[in-house]
Amino acid sequence: MIIGTAGHIDHGKTALVRALTGVETDRLPEEKRRGISIELGYAYLHPPGQAVLGFVDMPGHERLLHTMLAGATGIAHALLIVAADDGVMPQTREHLAVLALLGLTHATVVLTKIDRIPTAERTARLAALQAQVRALLAPTALAQAPVFAVSAHSGEGVDALRAHLQSCAQAHHAQPGADAAQGFRLAVDRSFTLSGVGTVVTGMVASGRVAVGDVLHTAPTGHSVRVRGIHVHNQQAESAQAGERCALALAGIAKEAVQRGHWLCAPSVDLSSLRLDVLCQHWQGEERPLRSGQRVHVHLGSADVLGTLVLLQGSELAPGASALAQLVLQTPVAAWHGSRGVLRDASAQRTLAGVQVLDPFAPQRWRNSAERLQQLAALQLPDPGARLAALLAASPLGVDAAALARAQGQAASALPWPPAVLHLTASAQAIDPGAFATLQAHTLDCLGQFHQQHPGDIGPDSRRLRRLAAPRASDALWQALTDALLTQATLARTGPWLHLPAHGAELSAQEEHIAQRLLPLLQAGAFAPPWARNLAQDLALPELAVRQTLVGLARRGEVFAVVKDLYYSRLALQQLADLARACAAAPGGLHAAAFRDASGLGRKRAIQVLEFFDRVGLTRRVKDQHLLRPDTVLF
């Protein structure tokens, strides 16, 4: 069990750890000269036949709170140190806020330096101090923490405290182990080199297991490293697991490339994020509300980065209240679902709030839509199975199973999917079957409306239909959706165009005869084909029959109405599309004048053709420019 010591700078944390373990945690010359902790210190107690006790001695100075936060990552138990002669100090309150906001539920309060209180006054002083501490802890999850009075100088009370901590360690060791499906993650709090060993990093194992020879990634930087050696609780080992503090000797990376704030993780859960959706709890001891848009220091794992807090429900968060929020960071971090962190003000002088990560892949758009808030509510559920079921129910477009598994810190196959979930073939998308059926029906409805509005068009291409029916659908989901509709024969494809089966044209014998006479004239017209009424006059046919035949040909994808009653052959539009692509690749881009010059059309006709390309989805207009849509297969 790893124990963190917290408290005011002069309250004897280092001396207490030395009395408990016999190890001096202040190792730097500056620490020894000044008599205060500047960096994290470590000590271990290996009682025979009992669980190991590990201590992280965290600095108490207010200017070193960022170091204290790095050391508090992953501790299972806290020692809140209060000197009997000084009592509760400002840093005692801030360290308690940090421990409470990190979600710690196990702690012990230690009243130190009792030898400095005269014997005649000691009982009354300790009783008053205990009452003060109880009042301080009352609003937190640590309200029932036991209180011990000790003197590191004389040794009074140290044995009883050590026995208590060993009992806590045994109980902690007897608890169920971490989820075996979780990938390995370690928050790096130190990086250094040893002669003959190379780069060494230390930190708490947050989840999973690692063994000598394993390949890991650094997050958020993504470097690949190999584990050459492992020390667990200061002893050589072949493996390390969740809850243990370890040192890893790494091959393939320099000390400068991995530092405090980074993570070592299994490649399958490696991630990096600049936006995090979180549950934010404003510390009750603060006087002012948190405001949306407020700049903050974000402490996650051992990292300290600047960011902006965006509240998703309202513009302010009162002290003691909780709300959903998004953190927009200036530099990337690695964080996973359930990761705990602390927010401090922009000047790093006050602890403001605690956060629990819900989604490390937070969206920039629709972040506070009703659908998104429902998804974030699902992600707050503690049971993994119920969480996944609720998330799928709140996701009409399904979820990216691979990204979700990475955010949860495990493989997609290990997630407790509901039995009825639909895993789309050849993709990592998962969706509720009912939601998939609803989306299919909605797509067909949208296509039917398109046919009513554009009866002379064969139909939209796949990308245009997606923009009409499901603009937020992923590529994988949309491909699976259209494939399913085509397989069911509720959707038909003609070339790149999609349409309802009933919309495809079946020409009568008379219309086929007229079509054979119309098509050569349209092809001969090239970029300037005749209007429908001119075709009827030239062929001495009824104008209505010509128009009906042209509509039928358009539904078969053989001709296209650029404007009403003006039809181009597919070959002509193919050639015009090639010219449009050439103009778009030229320095000036695709605009009416350039296209007019390239095609030889008049300005009015050139604009009509470009507007047709915009309408069918080959291009999109931005001011005076027509930009080619990426990956379009039209013409």
Side-chain angles (χ1 to χ4, degrees), residues 449-463:
Q449 293 174 17
F450 179 90
H451 288 330
Q452 289 178 0
Q453 296 167 2
H454 307 278
D457 290 351
I458 184 173
D461 71 315
S462 179
R463 289 182 172 273

Side-chain angles (χ1 to χ4, degrees), residues 290-293 309-318 322-326 368 373:
L290 278 175
R291 289 182 170 82
S292 188
L309 176 71
V310 180
L311 297 175
L312 302 182
Q313 297 168 297
S315 58
E316 289 188 350
L317 182 61
S322 299
L324 295 170
Q326 185 172 107
N368 59 351
L373 295 178

